[in-house]
Amino acid sequence: MNTAGHGAAVRIEACGKTFADGTRALDPATLDIARGETLVLLGPSGCGKTTMLRIIAGLELPDAGGKVLFDGKDMTSVPIERRNVGMVFQSYALFPNMTVADNIAYGLKIRGVAGGERAARVAELVALTNITGLENRRIDQLSGGQRQRVALARAVAIRPGILLLDEPLTALDAALRDRLRGELNRLLRALGITTIYVTHDQAEAMELGDRIVVMRKGAIAQIGTPREVYFAPKDRFVAEFIGAANIVEAPIDNGVLILPGGRLPIEGGATAANATVMIRPETIRVTDAGAGLLSGVVDSVSFIGDRQRLVVSGASSKPLNVDAPNTILAKVGDRIGLSIAPDALRLLPSEP
Amino acid sequence: MSQKSFVWLCLLPLVLVTAAFFLLPMARLVVAGAEGPHGLAGYLATLTEGRYRATLINTVLLAAATTVVTLIVATIAGMFLQRHRFPGRAVLIAMLTFPLAFPGVVVGFMIILLAGRQGLIGDLSNRIFGEKLVFAYSIYGLFLGYLYFSIPRVILTIMAAVQKLDVGLEEAARSLGASPWAVQRDVVLPALAPAFVASGAIAFATAMGAFGTAFTLATNIDVLPMLIYTEFTLAANFATSAALSVGLGLITWLILALARTFSGSAVAAAG
Ligand SMILES: Nc1ncnc2c1ncn2[C@@H]1O[C@H](COP(=O)(O)OP(=O)(O)O)[C@@H](O)[C@H]1O
Ligand SMILES: [Mg+2]
């Protein structure tokens, strides 16, 4: 498609936001987004994701000293209508007094694009977003998933340099969300627009993001690729927010983690009286009792289908979550052994 | 007793009251209109006879002008008041809506104070141009009085409607490149259309039938309610005043119905 690769590079520099009522929504943050990249802002509700997105969009002004640059040009005081950004709102914000086609064509009409070209572009987008046949519907005659597609089509119709999406899938039910996530992923890759995507759903962030910005209480906790934030979280918050994590607090003696149920060699672990260590459930291997490095008792078994989640007590000071293959037969009360590779243990900075 | 008959039983008092105080006098009025020397043709006369017809047109034009100007003023003011917070806002709203309680007589009185022979405007223009500007007793004075009367009502309706507007829609339009004007035209005004129709209808009907203000400013203003009053009390012309009353009701109703279908189809066509 001819929209490919016309994204802008974005830089936000020391952008903080304090609202008129004194709420500090965002600490001054600096962030670079490459041309064509999909960057996901991920964090729990209220951590400032929408605020950052609205600053980039031009709907909020950053506090004094903050700057927004597109392709190196200072856009801080340029209003949104002249920033050429496509935006998909959480509520979709489709115009109720217009048809689907008129909604999609609105930005083109405002730009004075001639009727014939407009219609062609609408047809192209309708096909791209899989809503053929709905062109003349009113907005209140659409399902949630259809609205989401119209909102996306409307936002990319103007060939924006930057596409901003604020939790576009949150309002949909789980099955539809999964399907649309895949669709959205293919579409964003095909369009090649610089995309900033806000979500509180870590699975969504992993699938869609080239890089993820994990946010917490108005501050950036970590920036990295999905693999980096998953395998090498910077702190306990990121570790627990992304995926499932066992956080173990125990002493380390000469590169060995001392646990109630046994001893685990840990890579790069110097002696420490009280270390915080992350262990992902899928990195723990179940062995026969006595064969593993740790020994514990099965507390509960949840069969999920493709795998099973065991909760094992006695191995660590707190029960460990273990993702075991679905073929292992373990019953509540069984004593089992556990093994973990030294590089699967991730030392985290101790929280103050 | 079934649910349905219970509902009907509850409605019975309402039906009786409606019949006694609403339908019966109305029917009597319609009959009275045809009891003049010309019978049913008395109705026709209200449209054909020059003086009556001129008054009718006058009244409709005055009411229409009042409605349009009220809507424009109240929309701008209501939007501003709802969207902005500034010191003195509450006082300003209170002042703007203060005339809500005033009867037409008081409004007429205020117009006289403003634009009458001893009025403020006359004084001022006398000092500046050496000529006394007096328009309280003309149709312009009445127009001003009706504005004074309608604006508070319409402002309140518009403010409530503005509060319900989805700000996200305006932001979406702006993100697509719409200028502030385009946002108003394409998003805000269409969303406010139902409020315009509802509050405009009330302003129009009030202006068609208001009597107190016209009576206070009095003398030589030709509007239907005044004409009905003179025909009724001074000329004791019951049939004509009844026919004029029915005509006033019908025309108001007709114009409002037209406005509603028109704006309804306009909204549908836009959507
Ligand atoms: N207009 C506003 N005025 C005051 N506080 C606000 C405003 N918008 C957001 N906030 C506050 O700023 C914080 C961050 O909000 P937001 O960016 O919407 O979070 P998120 O999108 O991550 O859920 C929240 O505490 C929220 O209540
Ligand atoms: Mg949000």
Side-chain angles (χ1 to χ4, degrees):
Chain A
M1 199 177 132
N2 54 356
T3 35
H6 61 100
V10 179
R11 177 176 169 78
I12 67 172
E13 230 173 71
C15 279
K17 182 72 196 179
T18 310
F19 283 106
D21 63 356
T23 309
R24 176 66 170 255
L26 196 63
D27 294 338
T30 298
L31 197 58
D32 271 298
I33 304 146
R35 181 183 292 250
E37 182 184 26
T38 298
L39 185 88
V40 176
L41 303 180
L42 172 69
S45 170
C47 71
K49 308 179 295 290
T50 297
T51 303
M52 189 182 287
L53 195 76
R54 288 172 62 87
I55 288 176
I56 297 169
L59 287 170
E60 302 286 0
L61 215 58
D63 293 343
K67 257 198 211 173
V68 178
L69 301 115
F70 291 178
D71 279 336
K73 269 213 310 282
D74 189 348
M75 304 296 274
T76 316
S77 54
V78 176
I80 182 171
E81 52 266 34
R82 288 195 274 114
R83 286 196 186 189
N84 197 34
V85 294
M87 196 153 180
V88 175
F89 293 80
Q90 191 166 359
S91 62
Y92 305 139
L94 297 171
F95 306 128
N97 53 327
M98 300 181 199
T99 60
V100 167
D102 289 342
N103 263 279
I104 298 174
Y106 184 75
L108 302 171
K109 199 169 140 199
I110 287 290
R111 281 165 171 69
V113 174
E117 196 185 331
R118 219 154 66 202
R121 179 85 178 130
V122 169
E124 188 184 354
L125 284 161
V126 160
L128 191 72
T129 51
N130 275 326
I131 45 174
T132 311
L134 302 178
E135 291 90 333
N136 295 316
R137 291 262 187 102
R138 282 212 324 269
I139 298 309
D140 57 12
Q141 300 168 322
L142 300 180
S143 71
Q146 291 166 340
R147 283 176 203 212
Q148 196 274 331
R149 290 156 201 247
V150 176
L152 184 67
R154 182 180 69 177
V156 297
I158 57 171
R159 301 178 201 276
I162 301 153
L163 183 60
L164 306 169
L165 303 108
D166 193 355
E167 313 224 10
L169 302 180
T170 301
L172 307 172
D173 60 70
L176 189 60
R177 198 157 59 219
D178 283 351
R179 196 152 52 87
L180 282 182
R181 194 161 75 203
E183 239 177 69
L184 199 58
N185 195 21
R186 278 190 296 282
L187 199 73
L188 293 181
R189 307 278 151 212
L191 292 174
I193 309 173
T194 309
T195 303
I196 300 166
Y197 188 105
V198 165
T199 182
H200 68 265
D201 179 338
Q202 46 102 11
E204 225 170 278
M206 298 273 194
E207 180 166 355
L208 294 170
D210 293 322
R211 280 191 306 154
I212 298 176
V213 176
V214 187
M215 295 179 64
R216 178 195 192 187
K217 292 187 187 158
I220 294 177
Q222 186 172 359
I223 306 176
T225 64
R227 277 167 209 280
E228 281 165 2
V229 292
Y230 186 80
F231 290 121
K234 264 200 184 143
D235 59 23
R236 184 175 178 152
F237 169 78
V238 177
E240 288 187 304
F241 193 75
I242 300 204
N246 294 295
I247 303 294
V248 173
E249 283 168 337
I252 295 179
D253 180 22
N254 252 332
V256 178
L257 190 67
I258 317 282
L259 290 176
R263 302 167 141 252
L264 288 175
I266 173 169
E267 212 170 59
T271 303
N274 190 16
T276 308
V277 173
M278 176 196 79
I279 310 170
R280 295 282 183 201
E282 74 275 12
T283 60
I284 307 178
R285 207 156 43 79
V286 176
T287 63
D288 290 335
L293 296 166
L294 295 178
S295 144
V297 176
V298 177
D299 255 3
S300 73
V301 180
S302 333
F303 184 73
I304 299 168
D306 58 342
R307 64 202 148 91
Q308 52 191 337
R309 165 68 54 90
L310 311 182
V311 178
V312 180
S313 65
S316 165
S317 49
K318 274 185 290 178
L320 286 180
N321 290 315
V322 177
D323 278 355
N326 52 11
T327 47
I328 287 179
L329 288 175
K331 295 191 308 294
V332 173
D334 284 356
R335 177 158 287 276
I336 57 171
L338 301 173
S339 279
I340 306 164
D343 61 356
L345 299 177
R346 170 106 202 143
L347 199 59
L348 300 175
S350 298
E351 305 281 285
Chain B
M1 190 166 39
S2 78
Q3 177 77 23
K4 206 162 178 182
S5 49
F6 175 72
V7 170
W8 277 114
L9 201 70
C10 292
L11 279 176
L12 196 64
L14 180 67
V15 171
L16 288 178
V17 170
T18 310
F21 295 103
F22 197 74
L23 294 178
L24 287 183
M26 199 107 96
R28 188 72 193 89
L29 194 67
V30 172
V31 173
E35 278 176 344
H38 309 292
L40 264 179
Y43 275 104
L44 206 61
T46 62
L47 290 178
T48 50
E49 199 179 311
R51 188 164 71 95
Y52 296 153
R53 195 173 57 203
T55 306
L56 188 71
I57 292 173
N58 243 352
T59 313
V60 170
L61 287 181
L62 177 65
T66 304
T67 309
V68 170
V69 175
T70 300
L71 281 178
I72 292 172
V73 172
T75 301
I76 295 170
M79 197 113 71
F80 181 83
L81 286 172
Q82 189 61 48
R83 288 273 167 97
H84 295 83
R85 294 289 178 271
F86 50 89
R89 174 178 174 270
V91 178
L92 190 59
I93 293 178
M95 268 167 56
L96 275 170
T97 51
F98 191 63
L100 269 177
F102 287 166
V105 185
V106 178
V107 172
F109 183 45
M110 288 169 70
I111 296 301
I112 291 175
L113 289 179
L114 184 73
R117 277 178 280 274
Q118 257 72 51
L120 221 62
I121 292 180
D123 260 7
L124 216 64
S125 67
N126 197 12
R127 273 190 220 161
I128 299 172
F129 307 110
E131 197 170 330
K132 219 166 191 179
L133 189 61
V134 174
F135 60 85
Y137 316 102
S138 70
I139 198 137
Y140 301 106
L142 196 57
F143 172 66
L144 203 63
Y146 284 178
L147 281 187
Y148 204 72
F149 207 75
S150 322
I151 285 175
R153 278 150 242 267
V154 177
I155 278 193
L156 289 180
T157 314
I158 301 280
M159 279 176 69
V162 170
Q163 189 176 22
K164 287 208 207 86
L165 284 181
D166 179 0
V167 184
L169 290 181
E170 293 169 52
E171 293 180 344
R174 291 181 59 201
S175 77
L176 294 165
S179 66
W181 283 113
V183 172
Q184 295 297 315
R185 183 192 63 208
D186 299 333
V187 176
V188 176
L189 294 184
L192 290 180
F196 290 153
V197 174
S199 57
I202 289 179
F204 183 80
T206 310
M208 282 293 286
F211 174 68
T213 315
F215 188 68
T216 314
L217 301 177
T219 55
N220 46 9
I221 301 175
D222 283 331
V223 288
L224 260 183
M226 282 295 282
L227 183 63
I228 295 170
Y229 175 77
T230 28
E231 289 294 325
F232 185 66
T233 52
L234 304 182
N237 195 347
F238 295 147
T240 306
S241 54
L244 286 169
S245 305
V246 173
L248 175 69
L250 273 180
I251 287 165
T252 308
W253 178 82
L254 195 75
I255 290 176
L256 290 184
L258 278 177
R260 203 162 303 155
T261 29
F262 173 72
S263 68
S265 62
V267 168

